Amino acid sequence: MFSSSNSLSFFNLGKTTLSLYSVCSFLIGTQIVLAGMIEKVKMSGKALRDLNVLPSSGLDKNSDISGKGSLAKSYIENINDNGHELQKKNCPLFSATLNKVDIVKSNGLETVNTEVEYIDSENLADIADVDASFNTLLARLDSKDWVSTCEALNNVRQFSIYHKQKLLEIFGAVIRLIVKSLKCPRSAVCKTALMASADIFKAYNDIIIDSIDPLLVQLLLKSSQDKRFVCEAAEVALVSMTTWVSPTLLLPKLLPYLTNKNPRIRAKASMCLSRSVPQLGMEGIKAYGIDKLIQIAAAQLSDQLPESREAARALAMQLQAIYVDSQVSQCEESVKLVDADSWEAFCHAKLTPLSAQAILRVTATPKEGLAMS
């Protein structure tokens, strides 16, 4: 017969054994659960790897997906989560003449579109079906399909080169829709519209002056952007404008932008002015007023952007050369000018002392060269 102490020890031993058994059972159960989870993770990783190497054409074939509803659903969910990686593997290579790949989201999935080809004006062929293209031109320019809009903008370029008179029938509406395309956030549409603007300036010259205001605003804005290829296309359009549009008509349109709040717009307007003024010629500048132009140049010399200041320097030097030539032609018997007619006296008479000094500083070297000769 056991004593009471022995009975208590036996009871404690049984209790301890039962506790150890419970702990072991818990650990074994946990191990089984963890093993199951690890196996599921391995299977998911394998399925993801298989998806990443799956050709895109395989997802397009109903025969490959039919009868695999759960698997197809899993693939679609993985595409949504890993679309970027799938995009990298399945993007085709495009020719050098095409712009970069453009990714468009539609219904949660990502699709790949190639952007339009940018064709130089000299390489544009005539339109195959002029009447059909003309009849749908405005609708396509206003289309929500950006590819269709780009094709219509290229048609505008073709009309301006090969069928100038026909496009005049809807000229105002075309310009308004080109301005709309210039505001488009899609770079391909914007650049094609800029190329169309350059061709229109070359084809229609002064005809466009009545519609130029909204177009000019967008050209100045786009030439001030950070996207390099859009900026370059806008610069080409501005050069075309200053080349083909009469300066007597263009200068009044440019002047308000010289005091714009945006310093980049002021800089681009100054550059346009500097390119446009020389086309007036000596007689045109004298008729417009050389005193007005020198005041404009003096104001731009103090602008915060170097582009504005450089354009003002170029304008001041051009005005000085024209002024000196006009004075020499008036007294051909003597190259030495009377002091009252000198460039320095002219600047002091037409400008404030500080502005006169600024103009004389930037024109000192050409003046000294003329005196030495």
Side-chain angles (χ1 to χ4, degrees):
M1 184 175 185
F2 293 105
S3 64
S4 59
S5 59
N6 290 337
S7 298
L8 181 61
S9 299
F10 181 79
F11 176 78
N12 290 337
L13 180 60
K15 185 178 181 180
T16 303
T17 303
L18 182 61
S19 300
L20 290 174
Y21 178 80
S22 300
V23 170
C24 291
S25 299
F26 174 78
L27 291 175
I28 292 172
T30 303
Q31 184 178 6
I32 293 173
V33 171
L34 288 175
M37 293 176 65
I38 292 172
E39 186 63 22
K40 289 182 178 180
V41 170
K42 290 180 179 179
M43 293 176 65
S44 299
K46 185 177 183 303
L48 181 59
R49 287 194 299 272
D50 293 341
L51 173 63
N52 286 336
V53 299
L54 184 68
S56 59
S57 59
L59 294 177
D60 296 332
K61 297 181 179 179
N62 294 331
S63 60
D64 292 343
I65 298 178
S66 60
K68 303 178 182 179
S70 60
L71 183 59
K73 181 178 179 181
S74 174
Y75 280 173
I76 292 174
E77 290 172 352
N78 285 332
I79 290 174
N80 290 334
D81 295 335
N82 304 283
H84 181 66
E85 292 298 325
L86 187 61
Q87 196 72 43
K88 289 182 180 179
K89 294 180 179 295
N90 294 332
C91 285
L93 298 178
F94 303 104
S95 66
T97 57
L98 293 179
N99 196 16
K100 61 184 180 181
V101 172
D102 185 41
I103 300 175
V104 183
K105 290 187 177 180
S106 176
N107 298 327
L109 297 178
E110 292 186 352
T111 59
V112 181
N113 290 327
T114 59
E115 296 194 0
V116 296
E117 187 176 5
Y118 304 126
I119 307 173
D120 293 334
S121 301
E122 56 270 20
N123 296 328
L124 276 174
D126 196 358
I127 302 172
D129 191 340
V130 176
D131 291 334
S133 179
F134 182 80
N135 292 335
T136 61
L137 185 61
L138 294 180
R140 289 184 291 120
L141 284 173
D142 201 23
S143 173
K144 293 182 180 180
D145 179 4
W146 67 272
V147 176
S148 178
T149 301
C150 288
E151 291 174 352
L153 288 168
N154 278 325
N155 288 157
V156 170
R157 300 174 63 200
Q158 292 170 306
F159 274 110
S160 66
I161 295 172
Y162 297 103
H163 309 279
K164 290 174 54 176
Q165 295 301 318
K166 193 167 186 62
L167 193 61
L168 285 176
E169 299 175 18
I170 54 173
F171 193 71
V174 168
I175 297 299
R176 286 193 297 271
L177 292 172
I178 288 177
V179 171
K180 179 182 177 181
S181 295
L182 289 173
K183 297 177 182 179
C184 180
R186 188 178 289 276
S187 299
V189 176
C190 183
K191 179 170 180 176
T192 310
L194 290 168
M195 298 174 75
S197 301
D199 289 334
I200 283 177
F201 286 132
K202 183 176 181 179
Y204 295 100
N205 310 128
D206 296 346
I207 295 175
I208 199 175
I209 199 65
D210 293 333
S211 307
I212 204 173
D213 288 321
L215 195 59
L216 179 57
V217 174
Q218 292 302 316
L219 293 179
L220 293 173
L221 285 172
K222 297 303 177 184
S223 65
S224 308
Q225 278 194 351
D226 295 331
K227 291 184 179 179
R228 182 177 177 182
F229 74 104
V230 172
C231 203
E232 290 173 348
E235 287 285 357
V236 171
L238 288 173
V239 170
S240 178
M241 177 187 70
T242 55
T243 301
W244 300 104
V245 178
S246 172
T248 55
L249 299 175
L250 185 59
L251 290 181
K253 302 290 186 180
L254 288 171
L255 290 179
Y257 297 103
L258 296 177
T259 55
N260 192 278
K261 293 181 180 180
N262 188 329
R264 291 188 176 184
I265 289 181
R266 291 200 305 269
K268 298 301 180 181
S270 296
M271 295 169 67
C272 290
L273 187 78
S274 178
R275 289 194 298 265
S276 186
V277 166
Q279 298 190 50
L280 285 169
M282 182 183 295
E283 295 302 321
I285 289 176
K286 289 167 65 176
Y288 188 86
I290 193 171
D291 53 338
K292 295 178 182 178
L293 294 172
I294 198 63
Q295 290 169 4
I296 293 171
Q300 294 302 306
L301 277 176
S302 59
D303 195 87
Q304 68 183 86
L305 286 186
E307 292 89 344
S308 292
R309 299 195 295 271
E310 185 60 34
R313 290 189 191 99
L315 178 59
M317 294 175 67
Q318 293 163 1
L319 294 175
Q320 184 211 22
I322 290 173
Y323 178 83
V324 170
D325 288 344
S326 66
Q327 295 300 311
V328 171
S329 63
Q330 292 176 8
C331 47
E332 294 179 355
E333 67 280 359
S334 175
V335 177
K336 184 178 179 179
L337 304 179
V338 181
D339 184 64
D341 294 328
S342 68
W343 174 246
E344 293 85 351
F346 173 78
C347 291
H348 283 293
K350 301 298 181 182
L351 303 170
T352 64
L354 289 178
S355 296
Q357 290 177 9
I359 290 292
L360 292 174
R361 276 198 301 271
V362 299
T363 58
T365 301
K367 178 66 178 65
E368 292 173 359
L370 178 63
M372 291 175 62
S373 63

